[in-house]
Amino acid sequence: MAAGNEWINGYLEAILDTGEKAIGDQRHVGGQDFKAAKYFVETVTGFDESSLYRTWIKASATRSSQERTLRMEHLCWRIWHIARKKRLIEWEDAHRLARRHMEREQGRKDATADMSSDLSEGEEKSEEKITPVESMPEMPRVESTLTLATSSIGEAPSTPDKEKPAKRLYMVLISLHGLVRGDNMELGRDSDTGGQIKYVVELARALALMPEVYRVDLLTRQICSPDVDWSYGEPTEMLSMGSYDDFEDVGESSGAYIVRIPCGPRDQYLRKELLWPYVQEFVDGSLAHILNMSRVLGEQIGSGGLIWPHVIHGHYADAGDIASLLSGALNVPMVLTGHSLGRNKLEQLLKQGRQSKQDINATYKIMRRIEAEELSLDAAELVITSTKQEIEEQWGLYDGFDVKLERVLRARARRGVNCHGRYMPRMVVIPPGMDFSNVIVQEANDVVEGEAQAVVITSGDASNVVPISPRDNPPIWEEIMRFFTNPHKPMILALARPDPKKNLTTLLRAFGERRALRDLANLTLIMGNRDDIDDMSGGNAAVMTTVLKLIDKYDLYGQVAYPKHHKQADVPEIYRLAAKTKGVFINPALVEPFGLTLIEAAAHGLPMVATKNGGPVDIHKALTNGLLVDPHNEKEIADALLKLVADRNLWTVCRKNGLKNIHLFSWPEHCRTYLSRIALCRMRHPQWKTETSADDDELDSQSDSLRDVQDFSLRLSVDGNMSISNPADLERLLRGQNSLGKNQNMDDFKPLSGKQRTVSGRMESMQEEGPEGKRFSSLTGLHKAQPLKKRRRLVVIAVDGYDTTTNKPSTRLVGLLQEIVKSIRSDSSIRVQPGLIISSALTKAEIVQMLSSAGLSPMEFDALICSSGSEVYYPASFSDDSGNAHDIDLQADRDYSAHIDYRWGYEGLRKTMARLNTSDAESGNNDKILVEDTANCNSHCLAYTVTNSDIAPTVDQLRQRLRMRGLRCHVMFCRNASRLHVLPLLASRSQALRYFFARWNVDVANMFVVVGDTGDTDYEELLSGTHKTIIMKDVVEGGSERKLRATGNYGREDVAPEDSPNTVVAEANSVCDILLDALK
């Protein structure tokens, strides 16, 4: 060592000496010498750094003493920094968990304190006895080994005493990432195309066969990349049609379909971590499909009305985010299945100590994924899990779900006691199903010796079993057996993609280290499909390389099979081969959310060895067909495998137990439970669905289609939804039975009473603000608000321009409004005039005042989105007895108010915000950071003035604290972070545009959204989607985006794409020209 660094040498020698003494006489255990360097690298630092160990070996073998000293010194420093970094990560993680635990306990106390006054003492105690989760009811075991159920696939579930259910349900499933198709699925091709893909496809098929369900749409991303098969670019793929009743007359659009929605670059296949910026685009495309399908199904089975989705079911975090936005836009229930969870993955990676939180986030976009899961919990009515462990140990990590608080809220809901706006989604355990049709089970006393008879399960629920004649060996058998020196030995089968979390390398080490196991059995690793290891993703390639090195290290040639290719249709044959040799199936994953392959193996008569972490625990409890092991313990894995392979009596018992109740995991059983759980949800649908209108004829009349371009006060438009080119179109238009607006009742747009009402517990009335809001008693007539359904295109001005001193609308914003309105209305070359909308954090009165200062009337605009999306107004003019227009009024959209009222707890939020505000002031020894602004509050907006934005918590911090207290809402800073708005979960400026699409049939793709280069904290939600976004440079000063997320969270690039064909960045003076060119 160099002078001055002797302490490092002494430090290393001391540790290595300690290690050698601890090893003692065990230096030659296993026939291998104790290696001091390997002990230090892997044991002391806790890392399996093979590259570091190799560097140590090379350094110690260097002949030159001087070079060896320098290299060893450098290596010592590297190891010291690794160990130091590991301890730092562990320290930070411990402090983070401690802070989180304290915050959660405080949130639970606050929520309980707010609600305790409504319950008596006896009721409070009884709440503690309510079970926190719901799962499938226990089902009686069936003693026969092959007749596993009583109904076959050709028979509908019989209900002799009940009327047959109407086949009217429309179900929407969403699975965004991976390669999704119905046949010949490429499972294992990459980390995104795994068990989830198979699950959602089979779920769609099974649901379409249920007697209540008419159509199932599985929405996924359209991929037209040359790197994947052409079938992934097909817009629609039929999965199945019909039902369990073969004689039922199915409709034209019934059945299950894969619908591929374009989003992001169509010519690229992107891994799931890169899809986050395109979520909004997928939402808009899905919304267009669902609205169109609702009309089509309405014509087929709805007597001309609309058939809305029964539920929208998101799978995984990305699809959960999409489902929450679609559910909010359509006001229909949402269901969520997490499959694997981000917080659980983050905790596992942090425990390993190899990467910091920042490094993990950069690699996996883990913070964006976690926020998507939190947003999904906010909106979900029902969360479907595979196991109880998933609920308690994985979902319990999230801010939006607390097992104890959920127990209290459910008890209160059952008693009809007020929950003050608090809500926790219902968690239910429904194990995934399996398609048992054509499952072949080898049936004989000795399946290895002699020709055994095989039987095939021909029903989807494993009820029908018939013998089959002997046949030639399938090609996949020959592909596997060519690896083996003795193919007659029992086969240990592992089927998983080469992902580090699947833990295949530990299995291989366990097999290689145990000589007795190697002598008795062969090992088959089905690790997806590959052409060249160099073409595989980094993690998969590393696992594959390690597998090959371990095979060489333990000289396992002739004992391990690892075929390069297999088809999805080959998987049942692989299971049958393992059962034929009296083998064992193993799932050694570090954590397995469920373990569908364990169900498949049991259905083919294979005992199992599985990880004790996750879903296999529940599967083993139901089937009792194998052993559970610690996936980190090589010896335990080897012992379990050897026990099952060597003991034929135990193998036979496990096989019979597995076949005994496998029907509990059939798809019909899964779907029956699934639909029964959904039936308990709070069913919702758009509020305007059942309205009737006496004014449709008036609104669709020719007089409303004539417009004087120069007469702005009349606000009539020539822009219609269809051209009348034949009598059939005219008749359909007059009937108005097949359009989204057929049930619109304009009488529901009643003018305000003249007093803006604020909900503050007592709903106190406030004074009128300005003459624009007054209604005159002398005015007896009302020109109704022009419905947006007569607009084909909309220009939405959503520029958050405020003066940095006064925080009022800036002169630049006022001038921009004047310029845009003047340019659009005065250009005679625009054949069809677009609608104009203002979207702002300002109140209605403030917007009217801003327009007045610009010399504009509210009648210039078709709608006003006020208070950050908490209110929508439509301008309308009043007339006297002679028919002359005198004044205008802004009519609130009552449907929108009802639409966003879902899960809105005004009083509970107001009390909680006051408590949090007081707590922050006490802890900081300062005045209150937030002061309630009652003048700007409304029934769906809590407004606060921010006294010090520098120390105010960010949006993500506020939402975390509110979620921990069971409150679901949108929090946003506005006006250069000088104001804070708390809105309902379904209210936002971006969601208001989707509401216009659903309500008035104005496609989001036909909207032009004008924004600045920064804005309020909801600004980035307006950037992406199918609409055209025009970003104006140097118009907004300040902005509030700095208060959106705390340091270490995800960035804007994970929400909106940096380079989108739908986005244009322009100078302020060129915006009008860009708009005019697009509108022409």
Side-chain angles (χ1 to χ4, degrees):
M1 288 291 176
N5 291 326
E6 292 83 3
W7 65 274
I8 298 180
N9 189 31
Y11 173 68
L12 293 178
E13 288 179 353
I15 294 178
L16 296 178
D17 289 342
T18 302
E20 292 182 7
K21 292 177 181 178
I23 299 298
D25 297 332
Q26 300 181 7
R27 283 176 167 269
H28 300 280
V29 173
Q32 295 183 0
D33 291 338
F34 170 74
K35 296 181 176 60
K38 185 177 181 66
Y39 171 81
F40 184 85
V41 172
E42 296 190 359
T43 305
V44 176
T45 67
F47 287 87
D48 183 11
E49 294 286 354
S50 56
S51 61
L52 197 62
Y53 172 58
R54 288 196 301 270
T55 304
W56 188 307
I57 296 299
K58 292 180 180 178
S60 60
T62 303
R63 293 186 177 182
S64 171
S65 60
Q66 183 177 5
E67 182 181 356
R68 181 170 61 251
T69 299
L70 291 175
R71 294 180 68 175
M72 291 294 288
E73 179 184 5
H74 174 68
L75 191 59
C76 289
W77 274 111
R78 284 180 61 190
I79 295 176
W80 181 80
H81 279 292
I82 288 176
R84 181 174 178 270
K85 181 179 179 181
K86 179 190 175 186
R87 285 193 293 269
L88 181 61
I89 292 174
E90 291 174 347
W91 181 86
E92 291 176 346
D93 189 42
H95 278 255
R96 180 180 59 84
L97 293 176
R99 290 194 302 269
R100 181 179 177 81
H101 177 74
M102 292 176 61
E103 181 65 31
R104 168 155 285 186
E105 289 296 324
Q106 185 60 46
R108 191 180 296 145
K109 290 179 182 178
D110 291 347
T112 304
D114 285 347
M115 299 185 295
S116 60
S117 59
D118 294 335
L119 291 180
S120 64
E121 182 178 353
E123 288 175 322
E124 290 177 5
K125 293 180 179 179
S126 65
E127 283 181 346
E128 301 298 326
K129 301 178 182 179
I130 304 297
T131 56
V133 298
E134 296 185 19
S135 61
M136 287 182 58
E138 292 291 333
M139 301 187 66
R141 286 187 175 272
V142 182
E143 296 302 325
S144 61
T145 59
L146 292 176
T147 305
L148 303 176
T150 58
S151 62
S152 68
I153 194 169
E155 300 176 356
S158 59
T159 53
D161 299 331
K162 296 183 179 180
E163 185 179 354
K164 188 175 179 179
K167 196 174 183 69
R168 290 178 55 89
L169 299 185
Y170 172 37
M171 316 288 288
V172 176
L173 312 180
I174 306 173
S175 182
L176 178 64
H177 63 261
L179 299 171
V180 183
R181 65 182 179 189
D183 298 318
N184 198 19
M185 289 178 276
E186 300 182 69
L187 303 183
R189 170 182 171 134
D190 52 56
S191 59
D192 292 349
T193 309
Q196 176 185 330
I197 304 301
K198 182 178 181 181
Y199 173 86
V200 294
V201 170
E202 292 189 354
L203 174 61
R205 282 197 178 109
L207 281 174
L209 295 175
M210 300 303 291
E212 305 95 329
V213 178
Y214 184 77
R215 180 182 173 100
V216 179
D217 279 340
L218 171 56
L219 308 184
T220 189
R221 179 173 178 251
Q222 185 182 37
I223 307 167
C224 302
S225 170
D227 298 330
V228 300
D229 191 74
W230 62 269
S231 59
Y232 300 113
E234 289 295 297
T236 305
E237 177 185 344
M238 175 179 282
L239 292 175
S240 67
M241 62 181 302
S243 67
Y244 281 104
D245 190 344
D246 293 334
F247 301 100
E248 184 173 346
D249 185 19
V250 297
E252 179 182 352
S253 300
S254 65
Y257 298 82
I258 296 175
V259 179
R260 298 183 176 91
I261 307 295
C263 76
R266 300 189 187 184
D267 59 344
Q268 296 181 31
Y269 173 47
L270 302 177
R271 57 187 176 91
K272 58 178 176 288
E273 290 82 8
L274 301 179
L275 289 175
W276 290 113
Y278 308 106
V279 162
Q280 302 268 354
E281 187 178 346
F282 190 92
V283 171
D284 293 340
S286 300
L287 183 59
H289 167 78
I290 292 172
L291 291 174
N292 179 65
M293 188 53 59
S294 296
R295 287 193 295 269
V296 172
L297 298 183
E299 294 174 357
Q300 294 180 12
I301 60 174
S303 302
L306 297 177
I307 299 296
W308 298 106
H310 191 56
V311 293
I312 298 177
H313 188 164
H315 294 267
Y316 195 78
D318 47 14
D321 195 0
I322 293 166
S324 66
L325 292 172
L326 286 173
S327 171
L330 295 170
N331 202 18
V332 298
M334 174 196 162
V335 178
L336 173 66
T337 300
H339 291 278
S340 66
L341 302 182
R343 279 202 188 276
N344 183 63
K345 182 171 185 175
L346 176 62
E347 297 298 328
Q348 295 290 335
L349 292 173
L350 288 175
K351 286 180 181 178
Q352 292 178 6
R354 299 189 182 188
Q355 293 177 290
S356 66
K357 186 177 179 180
Q358 291 73 21
D359 295 335
I360 295 171
N361 189 36
T363 304
Y364 300 103
K365 304 294 183 183
I366 201 75
M367 300 310 296
R368 178 67 179 91
R369 174 179 171 182
I370 290 172
E371 180 59 20
E373 289 162 340
E374 293 283 9
L375 291 170
S376 302
L377 284 177
D378 289 342
E381 291 277 354
L382 185 72
V383 178
I384 294 177
T385 68
S386 301
T387 64
K388 291 182 179 179
Q389 183 267 353
E390 183 181 345
I391 298 175
E392 297 167 358
E393 299 182 18
Q394 297 186 41
W395 282 117
L397 298 173
Y398 285 79
D399 304 329
F401 183 75
D402 183 284
V403 174
K404 294 181 181 178
L405 185 56
E406 189 270 346
R407 184 185 310 171
V408 173
L409 293 175
R410 188 145 49 88
R412 294 174 69 90
R414 288 179 177 176
R415 296 185 178 94
V417 182
N418 186 11
C419 293
H420 300 282
R422 289 174 170 83
Y423 176 84
M424 289 284 171
R426 181 192 297 266
M427 296 255 176
V428 297
V429 177
I430 309 179
M434 178 183 169
D435 181 10
F436 292 106
S437 60
N438 299 317
V439 170
I440 298 175
V441 181
Q442 204 74 28
E443 192 64 25
N445 293 330
D446 189 342
V447 295
V448 178
E449 301 170 4
E451 286 298 325
Q453 184 186 31
V455 296
V456 58
I457 301 176
T458 60
S459 65
D461 55 5
S463 59
N464 285 359
V465 181
V466 297
I468 61 172
S469 59
R471 59 176 180 172
D472 295 334
N473 290 338
I476 190 64
W477 287 20
E478 303 297 333
E479 176 67 18
I480 292 174
M481 288 190 292
R482 70 182 178 87
F483 285 88
F484 299 135
T485 304
N486 181 4
H488 297 289
K489 291 194 296 184
M491 178 194 295
I492 299 170
L493 173 63
L495 196 155
R497 63 181 184 271
D499 190 293
K501 64 184 179 183
K502 296 302 181 181
N503 204 29
L504 295 177
T505 54
T506 300
L507 167 63
L508 200 52
R509 289 191 185 96
F511 182 77
E513 293 283 356
R514 185 64 61 90
R515 169 66 67 177
L517 185 60
R518 292 164 55 183
D519 293 341
L520 196 57
N522 294 322
L523 176 63
T524 297
L525 302 176
I526 307 297
M527 298 176 288
N529 292 280
R530 65 186 183 277
D531 292 320
D532 190 335
I533 294 179
D534 292 337
D535 295 335
M536 300 173 69
S537 63
N540 292 358
V543 171
M544 196 66 225
T545 302
T546 304
V547 165
L548 297 178
K549 289 182 176 180
L550 290 173
I551 291 174
D552 186 74
K553 174 181 178 180
Y554 294 109
D555 194 15
L556 299 179
Y557 299 104
Q559 297 174 295
V560 178
Y562 43 97
K564 295 182 67 171
H565 297 282
H566 72 280
K567 300 178 181 178
Q568 182 60 27
D570 293 333
V571 174
E573 301 294 349
I574 297 172
Y575 286 124
R576 193 162 73 92
L577 175 61
K580 181 180 177 64
T581 62
K582 234 178 185 182
V584 177
F585 182 80
I586 180 169
N587 183 335
L590 298 176
V591 177
E592 181 59 62
F594 179 67
L596 189 59
T597 52
L598 297 174
I599 303 300
E600 294 174 344
H604 287 83
L606 273 174
M608 73 170 188
V609 173
T611 176
K612 66 179 181 181
N613 298 331
V617 176
D618 288 352
I619 295 175
H620 180 264
K621 184 178 180 181
L623 301 180
T624 322
N625 67 326
L627 303 171
L628 300 178
V629 296
D630 179 0
H632 299 281
N633 192 324
E634 297 174 9
K635 181 180 182 301
E636 192 173 333
I637 293 173
D639 289 344
L641 290 171
L642 186 60
K643 186 174 183 180
L644 279 173
V645 171
D647 190 339
R648 288 201 171 187
N649 290 332
L650 177 62
W651 186 92
T652 302
V653 170
C654 289
R655 167 189 166 85
K656 290 182 178 180
N657 288 344
L659 290 170
K660 188 179 298 182
N661 268 348
I662 194 66
H663 73 280
L664 293 177
F665 299 96
S666 69
W667 276 120
E669 187 66 37
H670 176 95
C671 291
R672 281 190 285 267
T673 307
Y674 176 89
L675 292 174
S676 66
R677 295 300 186 187
I678 289 177
L680 300 177
C681 293
R682 176 186 171 188
M683 288 294 111
R684 300 179 281 133
H685 62 270
Q687 297 297 313
W688 58 89
K689 177 181 178 182
T690 58
E691 296 173 6
T692 59
S693 175
D695 300 316
D696 276 348
D697 291 340
E698 175 190 353
L699 292 173
D700 291 333
S701 66
Q702 184 179 6
S703 62
D704 277 349
S705 68
L706 301 177
R707 180 179 186 273
D708 184 350
V709 179
Q710 303 301 325
D711 187 357
F712 298 146
S713 63
L714 293 180
R715 298 300 303 127
L716 301 176
S717 173
V718 296
D719 190 2
N721 280 331
M722 64 176 69
S723 60
I724 304 175
S725 57
N726 56 65
D729 286 342
L730 176 59
E731 181 181 358
R732 183 164 61 252
L733 177 64
L734 293 176
R735 287 201 313 266
Q737 294 300 309
N738 295 322
S739 85
L740 280 174
K742 78 180 186 71
N743 293 321
Q744 292 146 3
N745 186 352
M746 298 311 302
D747 289 334
D748 278 348
F749 294 107
K750 295 180 179 179
L752 297 180
S753 62
K755 293 184 178 181
Q756 185 179 0
R757 302 185 67 85
T758 300
V759 180
S760 58
R762 298 180 298 276
M763 294 294 292
E764 297 178 348
S765 299
M766 300 184 62
Q767 298 297 322
E768 296 174 340
E769 298 184 70
E772 294 82 0
K774 296 181 180 178
R775 295 187 59 196
F776 298 96
S777 58
S778 61
L779 300 179
T780 59
L782 170 65
H783 295 295
K784 291 185 178 293
Q786 174 66 41
L788 287 175
K789 71 172 184 175
K790 302 188 70 68
R791 294 296 190 186
R792 290 180 182 173
R793 293 176 294 183
L794 293 177
V795 175
V796 182
I797 304 174
V799 179
D800 302 320
Y802 304 101
D803 187 273
T804 55
T805 303
T806 63
N807 294 316
K808 294 182 178 181
S810 65
T811 55
R812 290 184 181 181
L813 175 57
V814 173
L816 174 67
L817 289 172
Q818 292 173 324
E819 186 177 357
I820 290 179
V821 173
K822 180 179 178 181
S823 299
I824 292 177
R825 296 309 187 203
S826 63
D827 194 327
S828 59
S829 63
I830 300 178
R831 185 177 62 85
V832 179
Q833 284 287 316
L836 285 175
I837 293 177
I838 289 183
S839 180
S840 175
L842 300 173
T843 64
K844 176 192 69 171
E846 290 172 327
I847 290 179
V848 171
Q849 183 179 1
M850 177 182 65
L851 293 177
S852 177
S853 66
L856 299 173
S857 167
M859 295 299 292
E860 302 289 346
F861 296 86
D862 292 74
L864 307 180
I865 301 173
C866 308
S867 300
S868 299
S870 63
E871 293 180 315
V872 170
Y873 289 94
Y874 304 98
S877 61
F878 290 89
S879 61
D880 56 18
D881 293 332
S882 61
N884 297 320
H886 280 264
D887 206 348
I888 62 168
D889 192 17
L890 296 175
Q891 302 175 22
D893 189 336
R894 292 172 55 186
D895 282 336
Y896 183 75
S897 296
H899 180 86
I900 65 175
D901 198 56
Y902 176 66
R903 290 187 185 169
W904 174 240
Y906 187 99
E907 277 302 320
L909 271 167
R910 188 166 176 264
K911 290 180 180 178
T912 301
M913 290 294 294
R915 180 180 286 108
L916 293 177
N917 196 21
T918 302
S919 175
D920 290 339
E922 292 175 352
S923 61
N925 196 23
N926 296 311
D927 295 332
K928 291 184 177 180
I929 301 173
L930 304 176
V931 177
E932 187 173 356
D933 183 7
T934 56
N936 289 323
C937 290
N938 62 57
S939 59
H940 290 98
C941 176
L942 275 168
Y944 296 88
T945 300
V946 182
T947 60
N948 189 341
S949 62
D950 293 333
I951 63 174
T954 58
V955 168
D956 59 344
Q957 291 169 342
L958 277 171
R959 292 190 74 165
Q960 178 190 45
R961 298 166 76 176
L962 292 172
R963 281 169 176 155
M964 287 181 172
R965 290 155 176 81
L967 295 165
R968 318 288 174 163
C969 59
H970 275 163
V971 180
M972 51 194 69
F973 285 88
C974 57
R975 302 199 197 188
N976 300 327
S978 66
R979 301 287 193 278
L980 175 72
H981 287 171
V982 183
L983 312 177
L985 181 65
L986 304 189
S988 72
R989 292 193 289 172
S990 61
Q991 284 292 79
L993 301 182
R994 296 189 178 104
Y995 168 81
F996 290 152
F997 187 6
R999 179 69 169 97
W1000 301 114
N1001 200 23
V1002 184
D1003 196 334
V1004 176
N1006 294 331
M1007 297 182 186
F1008 301 84
V1009 180
V1010 182
V1011 297
D1013 49 7
T1014 186
D1016 299 341
T1017 53
D1018 63 342
Y1019 162 79
E1020 63 183 21
E1021 298 173 12
L1022 297 166
L1023 296 180
S1024 61
T1026 58
H1027 58 74
K1028 284 69 177 175
T1029 305
I1030 302 175
I1031 301 177
M1032 301 177 59
K1033 297 169 63 176
D1034 303 326
V1035 173
V1036 177
E1037 298 180 9
S1040 307
E1041 284 193 287
R1042 67 184 186 280
K1043 302 303 299 181
L1044 180 55
R1045 287 179 286 268
T1047 304
N1049 213 321
Y1050 60 93
R1052 184 193 293 180
E1053 65 277 4
D1054 296 326
V1055 180
E1058 296 180 347
D1059 50 346
S1060 170
N1062 292 331
T1063 301
V1064 175
V1065 180
E1067 300 292 340
N1069 56 9
S1070 62
V1071 169
C1072 291
D1073 294 335
I1074 295 174
L1075 269 175
L1076 292 176
D1077 289 341
L1079 293 172
K1080 293 175 185 178

